[in-house]
Amino acid sequence: MSASGRIVVLGSLNADLVVAVPRLPRPAETVLGDRLRTFPGGKGANQAVAAARLGGSVCMVGRVGQDAFGDLLLQSLAADGVDTAAVDRDPDEPTGVALILVEEGGQNLIAVAPGANARVGPREVERAADHLNSESVLLLELEVPLPVVDSAAVAAHQRGSRVILNAAPATAVLPEGLLRHVDVLVVNEVEAATLFGSSVQSLEDAAAAGRSALEQGTGAAIVTLGAAGAVVVQPAGVSPIGAYPVVAVDTTAAGDAFVGALALSLLRGTDLVAAARLGAAAGAAAVTRPGAQSSLPTPADVQALLDKGS
């Protein structure tokens, strides 16, 4: 299989079990919600589908269990044209599961049982590396073990591939030197604050976090701020990205839509600021529908928002 013009995603695959609630519960409180719904998800799989649905050639590398959730995830990826030949069926661990509560207005609360995702290791790094060259992009997130993320980023750069790291879920410590092998770091305000140790509430805060990322070696950084838009930080300067006004139904996978669209845009030769604008439109489109992969936009969805403007 040729790696030319291909996005390779090494990351997580989860079944998302979602309950809509009138408001998120406080500790020790029970809140009655709507019926349980099951969606294919996982940050890795979501970003793979996001890029593929927008027209990209995408290969997914990861692990699922030998169970019905694993069947669901592989079928969902294949339905969007994602190559799943490098997704293993783990004989001992179940498929990862995310338990998600979504309140009116779209805000969510998520707990993840990693399952087979926690067993992603050197074998998957080798599989990802086999599909990478100077015309490909590697997408990484943090729902698989951190040493795997680190090794994959190094292997990608050795093959001349660009690396996009979505440092999510939030973590205070990355492997030392990892950011030197990252071309674009993407974080939201919570992830940026956790990673760089300072509150991120404004565009100025986001720019400062992005500059911290550059000081640690990343080529560029994007800090997303939800309804406030995003900030692109490059050595040449800071570029704010306006948000696209939409009515939010469910914010699950909005960041994944952003990253998938960003990766595809960069693969097609778009400059980083323009690619981030397209990512912002994709993220905005995603929050208008429930679920993770079910909410990810088509090219027509994104174009409609781009035509309206931020």
Side-chain angles (χ1 to χ4, degrees), residues 169-307:
T171 182
V173 180
L174 291 173
E176 185 173 356
L178 169 58
L179 290 182
R180 290 198 296 272
H181 297 285
V182 172
D183 296 284
V184 184
L185 174 72
V186 183
V187 285
N188 66 18
E189 60 266 55
V190 174
E191 294 148 6
T194 305
L195 191 55
F196 300 112
S198 58
S199 175
V200 177
Q201 297 182 350
S202 66
L203 293 175
E204 291 75 17
D205 295 340
R211 283 191 285 269
S212 295
L214 266 60
E215 289 168 4
Q216 293 186 29
T218 189
I222 300 174
V223 181
T224 63
L225 299 163
V231 173
V232 176
V233 183
Q234 302 181 86
V238 176
S239 305
I241 305 296
Y244 292 84
V246 293
V247 177
V249 172
D250 180 355
T251 58
T252 307
D256 299 329
F258 182 104
V259 174
L262 176 82
L264 181 58
S265 298
L266 292 177
L267 193 71
R268 290 174 168 172
T270 308
D271 72 81
L272 186 60
V273 173
R277 287 198 187 96
L278 194 107
V287 307
T288 63
R289 289 192 288 264
Q293 289 172 30
S294 56
S295 74
L296 296 171
T298 65
D301 296 329
V302 174
Q303 191 60 49
L305 282 178
L306 290 172
D307 290 343

Side-chain angles (χ1 to χ4, degrees), residues 15-107:
D16 290 348
L17 307 183
V18 181
V19 178
V21 291
R23 59 179 174 78
L24 298 178
R26 296 184 291 270
E29 180 186 22
T30 299
V31 174
L32 293 179
D34 202 344
R35 62 185 174 87
L36 178 71
R37 294 173 296 166
T38 303
F39 298 101
K43 295 197 75 64
N46 292 346
Q47 291 177 16
V49 169
R53 196 168 289 173
L54 292 173
S57 173
V58 184
C59 171
M60 181 75 213
V61 183
R63 296 178 84 84
V64 295
Q66 294 180 346
D67 49 29
F69 286 150
D71 295 340
L72 168 72
L73 288 163
L74 290 174
Q75 290 163 7
S76 174
L77 286 165
D80 274 295
V82 176
D83 181 349
T84 61
V87 179
D88 267 346
R89 306 297 297 258
D90 194 290
D92 301 314
E93 289 292 329
T95 299
V97 171
L99 308 173
I100 304 175
L101 301 180
V102 181
E103 71 176 4
E104 293 173 7
Q107 193 55 259

